[in-house]
Amino acid sequence: MKHRCFHKVSDAVQQLFHFGWQQALSCIFPVIIFAALAVTQVFPLPVLPRYDWLLIFFLLMQWLMLRSGLETKDELKVITLFHVIGLALEIFKVHMGSWSYPESGYSKVWGVPLYSGFMYASVASYLCQAWRRLDVQLVRWPSSLLAGGLAGVVYLNFFFHHFWIDIRWWLASLVVLLFIRTRVTYMVHGREYSMPLVLSFVLIGFFIWIAENIATFFGAWQYPGQQESWRVVHVGKISSWLLLVIVSFLIVALLKHVNGKRSGTGEEKETEAV
């Protein structure tokens, strides 16, 4: 009995290790971003402002990841799309006073340094790599038209709530209704696991909020309440990141679904079987 219990615990630890290792590999992009933020905060670099050095570092990092095979060309396309989407949101939010980038930089556009788009791109990088490494499949995926339309409305709400009412909680309710039956399956060391898709949204949103606290601590950007001294980002921001994660996940899922149909892979069979 004791031997069997020990075997179960040992097996669980091994599976957790393999899962953690794959997650760590999938997080290379955001880890390098945090490292660059920390190093440039502690050790100022000469010649160029900090924001410009960060842009150079992130461009070099992106090139190295592509050349090394850590990212594929298709994943780079998705990441570039997120860079553009994120940069557009950053420019608008800074213009509205939601947050700011107080340091100088030659690569700032309308008050926003171009490196900021990489922080959104890092979310896409994680999703793409985790999807590939863990062989993610979606069970009971709803209509792609509904999913894509909801992602578009969620993204637009980040802009329109400054001029109209904020409908984020209505949108969150729609997300739950649309994906309540959808599950994510993933492989860890040859064994399949699954979880509700809505739960994965919440978990990723929570960890991004933690990452946001780290990023603001190292001066990636600055909220109005952090101008005099750093303080923990308001927990209410989790809802914003949750919705942004939903947009990110849905875009990646839709692109994977389209590529699956074109290539005739198991993703298409999975969707058709549902």
Side-chain angles (χ1 to χ4, degrees), residues 51-52 101-114:
Y51 288 166
D52 300 314
Y101 292 88
E103 299 179 33
S104 62
Y106 296 111
S107 57
K108 291 179 76 172
V109 177
W110 291 306
V112 177
L114 294 179

Side-chain angles (χ1 to χ4, degrees), residues 212-219 225-233:
E212 181 182 33
N213 278 280
I214 298 173
T216 55
F217 179 79
F218 288 121
Q226 297 175 324
Q227 291 176 351
E228 295 184 1
S229 63
W230 180 84
R231 62 180 63 182
V232 174
V233 177

Side-chain angles (χ1 to χ4, degrees), residues 21-189:
W21 177 245
Q22 295 301 320
Q23 290 287 334
L25 291 175
S26 301
C27 287
I28 289 177
F29 200 142
V31 166
I32 294 176
I33 285 179
F34 288 138
L37 289 171
V39 169
T40 55
Q41 178 82 334
V42 178
F43 303 103
L45 297 176
V47 183
L48 294 174
R50 179 181 179 228
Y51 288 166
D52 300 314
W53 278 117
L54 288 172
L55 177 62
I56 293 172
F57 290 155
F58 297 162
L59 286 170
L60 178 61
M61 172 190 67
Q62 187 69 82
W63 180 78
L64 289 174
M65 291 187 70
L66 184 64
R67 288 297 302 268
S68 65
L70 287 172
E71 285 182 349
T72 67
K73 290 183 178 179
D74 283 340
E75 289 170 350
L76 178 61
K77 295 175 184 176
V78 177
I79 290 168
T80 302
L81 173 63
F82 275 86
H83 194 289
V84 174
I85 290 175
L87 191 60
L89 183 60
E90 286 289 311
I91 291 173
F92 177 80
K93 288 292 187 178
V94 167
H95 176 72
M96 299 303 295
S98 298
W99 54 79
S100 63
Y101 292 88
E103 299 179 33
S104 62
Y106 296 111
S107 57
K108 291 179 76 172
V109 177
W110 291 306
V112 177
L114 294 179
Y115 87 81
S116 64
F118 281 101
M119 291 184 286
Y120 293 84
S122 68
V123 176
S125 175
Y126 163 75
L127 289 173
C128 288
Q129 292 205 43
W131 202 296
R132 170 165 47 87
R133 295 178 189 280
L134 298 175
D135 190 21
V136 171
Q137 300 288 336
L138 298 172
V139 181
R140 297 191 181 93
W141 178 255
S143 164
S144 294
L145 181 62
L146 289 176
L150 181 58
V153 174
V154 169
Y155 181 70
L156 290 176
N157 185 63
F158 284 109
F159 296 87
F160 290 156
H161 82 83
H162 287 278
F163 311 104
W164 192 48
I165 60 173
D166 188 352
I167 59 172
R168 71 177 65 189
W169 297 113
W170 290 97
L171 293 174
S173 300
L174 288 176
V175 168
V176 173
L177 289 174
L178 185 60
F179 297 104
I180 190 66
R181 298 174 65 247
T182 306
R183 299 186 68 85
V184 178
T185 66
Y186 54 97
M187 301 294 294
V188 179
H189 203 49

Side-chain angles (χ1 to χ4, degrees), residues 169 206 209 212-213 232-241:
W169 297 113
F206 173 73
W209 174 75
E212 181 182 33
N213 278 280
V232 174
V233 177
H234 192 277
V235 71
K237 287 293 181 180
I238 294 179
S239 64
S240 298
W241 284 115

